[in-house]
Amino acid sequence: MFEFRHLLYLQNGKVSACKMKRIITVISFIVLCLQLTAQSLPPVRKTEENRNRGKIGNTYTGTSGKLLDTKGNTVGFDALPTQIGNYDDKKMKAIEKRFEDRKWEDEKLAWDAASGLDTADAYRKYLARFPGGAHVPQAKKRLTDLSVNDIFKGSHNTLPAIERTEPDDFSETSTIVIENVTGMMLTVMFSGVDSRTVTIAPDSRESVTIKNGSYRIAASVPAPSIQPFAGNGCFNGGRYDTGFCIVRGGMR
């Protein structure tokens, strides 16, 4: 057996809940389409032209932004269940998929979706679609925090304290030098005030500089049979050194 080793040790009788959900989904999709359309179309001077451009199915928006029918009358919420109630499950699923796909085409909406879901997969999707997006730093930090949380929740070895080799009490940052002699790609994550993820190639070393403070730390290699390390660390300025290797048998 191989082990990963550290070197240093509304009802109201009218609208059912189902219909209300459909109402919300359809209205949300309409609003999203209008927002995306407004971003791509040039300004329209005439009210009638603006209304014609805003047509969606049997309704469209006027200059006031209200939901109107084809005759220009405001559509009340009491009338919506009759129309939306005709959508069957297949149509609703199609609308939901279109809604999901469209919101990931706009950077702001994609970030709202990712932060709202607050999952690692959602942040990875945002980063893949918008690598230069305005919220990349926040997405990377939250992705690191969630990944570290996952390791702490599962089976892991305890990470020993990382050695402070060159103290600098006047520095506001700490530099951690990490050596990888595992023979595999090594990922080390620091979750705290300045969350970072660093990947080190086999038989090499990398350094990461973070703000001083307390951190939750996790280290792993891409081998399901090898448990990751997880632990806590406090950095107070200067240089710290650590390293990881894989050994046969139990911990020594």
Side-chain angles (χ1 to χ4, degrees):
M1 175 181 178
F2 286 90
E3 288 194 11
F4 186 33
R5 186 176 177 85
H6 189 276
L7 285 181
L8 302 179
Y9 300 65
L10 139 52
Q11 280 289 344
N12 289 340
K14 293 183 179 180
V15 184
S16 67
C18 181
K19 285 188 177 180
M20 181 56 70
K21 180 180 179 181
R22 292 182 175 182
I23 291 170
I24 294 173
T25 301
V26 173
I27 291 176
S28 299
F29 181 67
I30 291 172
V31 172
L32 174 61
C33 289
L34 292 174
Q35 289 175 340
L36 296 176
T37 300
Q39 294 176 10
S40 61
L41 291 177
V44 178
R45 296 181 180 179
K46 296 180 181 180
T47 299
E48 191 60 34
E49 291 179 357
N50 189 48
R51 289 178 173 177
N52 289 336
R53 275 185 170 82
K55 288 182 179 178
I56 296 180
N58 293 326
T59 63
Y60 58 91
T61 58
T63 54
S64 64
K66 296 180 179 179
L67 192 65
L68 309 175
D69 61 20
T70 54
K71 297 180 181 180
N73 300 315
T74 300
V75 177
F77 280 92
D78 291 339
L80 285 173
T82 301
Q83 298 296 326
I84 298 174
N86 294 327
Y87 282 83
D88 57 23
D89 290 339
K90 185 176 182 179
K91 290 181 180 179
M92 288 303 301
K93 288 181 180 179
I95 290 175
E96 289 172 355
K97 185 178 185 305
R98 290 174 62 190
F99 179 79
E100 180 69 21
D101 293 341
R102 290 294 295 273
K103 72 183 179 183
W104 287 98
E105 295 175 4
D106 177 85
E107 196 268 337
K108 181 182 182 303
L109 295 176
W111 171 248
D112 290 343
S115 57
L117 292 168
D118 195 35
T119 63
D121 286 342
Y123 290 118
R124 290 191 187 100
K125 188 172 183 178
Y126 170 84
L127 290 169
R129 288 178 176 262
F130 304 97
H135 301 282
V136 165
Q138 298 100 305
K140 288 183 176 180
K141 183 185 188 310
R142 191 60 187 142
L143 179 57
T144 295
D145 293 340
L146 291 171
S147 299
V148 170
N149 285 342
D150 287 342
I151 290 179
F152 267 81
K153 291 177 182 178
S155 298
H156 61 270
N157 294 312
T158 300
L159 181 77
I162 298 177
E163 183 181 0
R164 190 185 190 193
T165 54
E166 297 179 12
D168 186 351
D169 295 332
F170 298 99
S171 176
E172 296 181 351
T173 61
S174 297
T175 298
I176 300 93
V177 180
I178 308 166
E179 183 178 7
N180 177 17
V181 289
T182 66
M184 306 181 197
M185 293 297 293
L186 171 70
T187 299
V188 183
M189 297 172 286
F190 300 83
S191 175
V193 63
D194 190 21
S195 301
R196 300 290 184 86
T197 295
V198 57
T199 303
I200 306 102
D203 302 318
S204 62
R205 63 176 61 187
E206 296 286 345
S207 64
V208 57
T209 299
I210 58 178
K211 296 178 182 178
N212 293 342
S214 298
Y215 288 80
R216 302 175 82 202
I217 309 166
S220 64
V221 294
S225 61
I226 301 177
Q227 287 191 350
F229 269 96
N232 297 289
C234 185
F235 302 99
N236 300 307
R239 170 171 169 163
Y240 293 74
D241 283 86
T242 187
F244 297 87
C245 68
I246 295 176
V247 297
R248 292 180 181 274
M251 295 291 293
R252 291 183 296 180

